[in-house]
Amino acid sequence: MTETHDLSIDQRLALRSAATRLREQFDGVFGRETIELFLHSSYDQFASRSTIPNFLPLLAERFARQRLQALAKVEGHVQDGKPVVLFLCVHNAGRSQMALGFFQHLAGDGAVAWSGGSEPGYEINPSAVAAMAERGIDISKEFPKPWTTEIVQAADVVITMGCGDACPVFPGKRYLDWRLDDPAGKSVEAVRPVRDEIERRIRVLLEELNVPALH
C-alpha cells in the first residue's frame, strides 16, 4: 500500500480526486475501502518503474478503473453480455497494444478489450505507435501495464503473444496463442507486416465472437 507521506502534496491531491471519481462511478457496487485499495495498489504497480511521477496518479486511476470493472464482471455486478478479450505479451508495449487498438477500433461498444504484460515495459513502442497511426488508430495514450488476477478472471478469451509460461492460465478460459514477431527494436517498415497480420486476426476473432466490425 502506498505510504501517503512518501507522496508530494500534488500527488496526494490527485489521488484523492481520483478516489472521488472512482467512488462516484462505482457507487453501490464497491465500498470506499475496496476502491482505495485498488487505487493505491495500482499506483504502487507503476511507482517502481515510472520515470514521470506526475503522471502516476492518472495511470493509477485508469488502471484501477479497469481492474474494478473486471472485478464487477467477475462478481456478477455487470451482465451486459459483451464478450471480454484480454491481449497479453511480455512488455505490453507492441503486439498486445496494437491488437487492443484494432479491437477497440473495429468492435466499438460491441465488446470489451484489455491488454497486459508479464514484464511491463516503460513506454509504448514508437514504431508500433507510428504503424497504427498510418491506419488512423492512436495508441500513443496507452501505457504498459501488468495483468492482474481479476482482469484474467473477467476475460472470456485470453490471447497470448510470446509470453510463454509467464502468461497466466486459469481453468475454463478460452486461450489462443498468436505467434507474431516482436516489434521491439524494429523500424516502422518492419512492424507493418506484424500490424497487418494482427488486423487480419482481429477481424477473424470478431467474426467468431459475432461482433460486427465497424470499419
Side-chain angles (χ1 to χ4, degrees):
M1 177 71 72
T2 305
E3 295 293 337
T4 54
H5 59 259
D6 292 335
L7 307 178
S8 70
I9 293 175
D10 287 345
Q11 286 173 316
R12 272 181 273 177
L13 287 173
L15 281 175
R16 202 172 299 155
S17 297
T20 299
R21 287 189 291 271
L22 291 171
R23 285 199 301 272
E24 290 172 353
Q25 180 176 349
F26 293 96
D27 183 41
V29 180
F30 298 117
R32 178 179 187 142
E33 286 187 5
T34 298
I35 289 171
E36 293 193 354
L37 173 65
F38 272 61
L39 177 62
H40 285 272
S41 62
S42 295
Y43 183 97
D44 291 341
Q45 293 270 16
F46 297 108
S48 61
R49 55 190 176 84
S50 174
T51 56
I52 314 174
N54 289 343
F55 287 160
L56 283 174
L58 175 61
L59 294 182
E61 179 182 354
R62 288 174 62 187
F63 192 42
R65 178 174 291 108
Q66 178 177 310
R67 293 175 61 198
L68 288 165
Q69 288 169 340
L71 185 61
K73 183 176 187 294
V74 171
E75 294 187 349
H77 299 295
V78 177
Q79 297 177 336
D80 55 14
K82 294 181 182 180
V84 177
V85 178
L86 175 62
F87 299 100
L88 296 175
C89 66
V90 178
H91 301 305
N92 191 218
R95 291 165 291 187
S96 56
Q97 292 286 0
M98 289 192 288
L100 177 67
F102 272 124
F103 192 96
Q104 292 178 329
H105 179 70
L106 295 171
D109 293 331
V112 177
W114 300 315
S115 70
S118 54
E119 299 175 20
Y122 294 94
E123 64 178 1
I124 305 298
N125 184 319
S127 294
V129 172
M132 292 298 288
E134 293 178 348
R135 292 299 181 84
I137 301 173
D138 182 11
I139 63 170
S140 65
K141 296 179 179 62
E142 291 297 329
F143 54 99
K145 49 199 172 298
W147 59 267
T148 60
T149 299
E150 66 278 347
I151 286 175
V152 182
Q153 288 178 328
D156 300 300
V157 183
V158 179
I159 296 175
T160 60
M161 306 175 182
C163 46
D165 293 341
C167 280
V169 176
F170 285 75
K173 298 292 173 193
R174 180 187 175 194
Y175 283 86
L176 297 172
D177 185 36
W178 288 1
R179 297 182 181 277
L180 300 159
D181 289 339
D182 188 348
K186 291 183 168 61
S187 65
V188 177
E189 290 75 18
V191 170
R192 286 181 187 133
V194 182
R195 174 202 65 193
D196 293 347
E197 176 61 15
I198 288 173
E199 180 183 9
R200 185 191 71 78
R201 294 187 187 205
I202 291 295
R203 289 184 179 276
V204 171
L205 176 64
L206 288 173
E207 284 186 20
E208 293 174 350
L209 295 173
N210 295 314
V211 176
L214 299 180
H215 306 277

